[in-house]
């Protein structure tokens, strides 16, 4: 989450400042905490990675060491630093709303694991 | 027994009516052959780069303003990560903690006690592909819809000070209808629930009256019409109350509306909680909006449907029901406005539009702009009726002719010789003829069967091909039969 003190600099109106206030704490942000093998297992499942018990233990160690570095960084005073969500200072890159050519169906389906009726065929998915 | 009060939250997705997709130039259209509107970007092929459709941002900003939201000076696109075959990149480009608009509201009339339903956020994202479930254990995927600009509108419960929340199935339906009308007026979407360009997932909870904490909520899916939204929410409220009254507990789950059986049923839910691992999309740079740009969009907003409704009622003296029919379509409202301004009796105009015009539009399946009728045409017709040139029945026939040919009323009346005959002498001779030809009926009338009068009127009208002035016919028949 971008520091809200910084966002006030962009806010031109009282409404916009109020709007920023309502965003504080409204959206969970990842924090630095110690990860367990179970956390690794959960993330692996979300990423569709199959890991052995041994790998989970090893990776938990690796990731925790990385997180320790971030904890150290968090001790820095960033009050006066412009917030960064992107590393290059570029904004508002747009294209015009003009339709162009799409790919031929054969090309679209070239990487499909299986094809029928010009559709990608996948194992039946459970309704969510 | 405790009384319960329901609380409903609404998450609505609306597909925008842009010409091309959100992040690539594939065409946006409904239907068509599968996988014919796809490219490396919307298929998520490695090395492809999304570029934001400027029009889509403008449409959504316009919508956010019309929903009384504050547009933030900066917004960011995030990746929402999950695995599902309708999502080729394994993430959806969406927004998280910096959405386009926040803190808005939508007014509903709620049976006369107006409420402002609080909107928490309006954000931009892309639609997913479409899964076609075929029999057996295979699913087919069509990615034509993948990447179509999508807007998400979420209500806020509990609402902030001064705003309200949705508290019944009726209000849920009206909220959705008002939202649809607003988006239609803005011209940013065709908002068709049946075709899926407007989709809604309400969540419902109930709590004993007076309790401040919310009850456990369930989410309802598969609501494909306004009617289904009403029925599904109503069913779910009653079901939850029944569970609680029987000493049970409501389980937090997603339930599917079964339209045929009229019930909601639990869906097989994922066994673990979703964690979308949001992070800013490095492919898309932030958007910054100037106050001038926001104010320009605001100043360009059209008169919105509820404002129009209130104006039609106060300025033209219409009943709410008639005004609702007129404002439900921006075309019809505009047509009516143009007629009513140029005519002395706005209620009569409303009457013609809500009965005759709508009947013809329904019967022919045409849209108003596909017909040749203009407001001037309709006013011209009404003036002929007022001036006594034609009677009401003839006017209906002339109206139908105007609707199909685009000719003006005076033209049609002249060409077909439909001028009303008000000349007493001419009508009298027809009346005499009818009475002479039907001595039996005359006798019965004079014996007290006075309801035969309308039968006589019908005979005279037939003889005059409907052109006789009905008042004159009535007067002459009465005089002669009762003398
Ligand atoms: Zn594309």
């Amino acid at each position: 989450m971008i520091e809200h003190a910084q966002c006030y600099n962009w806010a031109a109106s009282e409404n916009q400042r109020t709007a920023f206030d309502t965003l504080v704490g409204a959206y969970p942000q990842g924090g630095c905490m110690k990860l367990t093998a179970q956390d690794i297992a959960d993330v692996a499942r979300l990423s569709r990675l199959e890991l052995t018990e041994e790998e989970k233990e090893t990776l938990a160690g690796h990731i925790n060491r990385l997180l320790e570095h971030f904890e150290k960084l968090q001790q820095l005073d960033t009050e006066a630093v412009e917030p960064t969500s992107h590393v290059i200072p570029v904004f508002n890159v747009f294209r015009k709303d003009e339709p162009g050519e799409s790919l031929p169906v054969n090309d679209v389906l070239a990487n499909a694991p299986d094809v029928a009726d010009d559709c990608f065929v996948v194992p039946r998915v459970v309704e969510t | 027994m405790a009384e319960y009060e329901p609380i409903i939250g609404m998450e609505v997705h609306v597909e925008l009516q842009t010409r091309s997709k959100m992040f690539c130039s594939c065409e946006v259209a409904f239907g068509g052959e599968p996988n014919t509107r796809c490219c490396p970007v919307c298929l998520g092929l490695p090395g492809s780069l999304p570029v934001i459709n400027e029009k889509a941002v403008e449409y959504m900003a316009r919508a956010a303003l019309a929903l009384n939201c504050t547009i933030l000076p900066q917004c960011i696109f995030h990746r929402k990560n999950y695995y599902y075959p309708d999502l080729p990149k394994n993430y959806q480009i969406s927004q998280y903690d910096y959405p386009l608009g926040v803190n808005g509201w939508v007014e509903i009339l709620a049976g006369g006690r107006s409420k402002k339903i609080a909107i928490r956020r309006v954000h931009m994202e892309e639609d997913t592909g479409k899964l076609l479930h075929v029999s057996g254990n295979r699913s087919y995927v069509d990615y034509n819809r993948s990447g179509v600009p999508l807007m998400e509108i979420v209500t806020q419960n509990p609402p902030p000070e001064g705003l309200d929340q949705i508290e019944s199935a009726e209000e849920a339906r009206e909220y959705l209808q008002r939202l649809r009308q607003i988006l239609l007026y803005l011209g940013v979407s065709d908002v068709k629930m049946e075709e899926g360009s407007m989709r809604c997932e309400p969540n419902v909870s109930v709590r004993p009256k007076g309790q401040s904490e919310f009850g456990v909520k369930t989410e309802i899916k598969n609501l494909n019409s306004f009617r289904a939204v009403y029925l599904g929410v109503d069913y779910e409220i009653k079901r939850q109350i029944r569970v609680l009254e029987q000493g049970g507990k409501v389980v937090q789950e997603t339930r599917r509306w079964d339209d045929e059986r009229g019930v909601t049923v639990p869906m097989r839910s994922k066994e673990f909680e979703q964690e979308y691992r949001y992070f800013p999309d490095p492919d898309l740079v932030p958007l910054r909006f100037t106050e001038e740009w926001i104010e320009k969009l605001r100043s360009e907003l059209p008169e919105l449907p509820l404002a129009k409704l209130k104006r039609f009622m106060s300025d033209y003296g219409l009943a709410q029901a008639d005004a609702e029919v007129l404002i439900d379509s921006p075309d019809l409202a505009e047509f009516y406005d143009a007629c009513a301004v140029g005519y002395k009796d706005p209620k009569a105009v409303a009457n013609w539009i809500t009965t005759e015009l709508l009947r013809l539009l329904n019967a022919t399946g045409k849209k108003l702009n596909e017909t040749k009728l203009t407001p001037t045409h309709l006013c011209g017709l009404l003036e002929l009726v007022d001036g006594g040139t034609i009677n009401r029945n003839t006017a209906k026939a002339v109206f139908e002719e105007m609707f199909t040919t685009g000719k003006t009323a005076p033209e049609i009346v002249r060409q077909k010789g439909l001028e009303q005959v008000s000349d007493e002498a001419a009508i009298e001779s027809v009346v005499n003829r009818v009475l002479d030809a039907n001595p039996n009926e005359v006798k019965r009338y004079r014996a007290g069967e006075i309801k035969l009068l309308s039968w006589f009127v019908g005979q005279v009208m037939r003889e005059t091909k409907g052109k006789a002035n009905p008042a004159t016919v009535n007067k002459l028949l009465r005089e002669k039969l009762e003398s």
Side-chain angles (χ1 to χ4, degrees), chain B residues 21 24 26 38-39 42:
Chain B
K21 291 186 180 180
C24 64
C26 290
C38 304
C39 74
C42 54

Side-chain angles (χ1 to χ4, degrees), chain B residues 193-205:
Chain B
M193 286 199 79
E194 287 74 11
E195 288 181 10
S197 55
M198 183 184 207
R199 309 193 282 270
C200 145
E201 282 157 19
N203 58 68
V204 175
S205 67

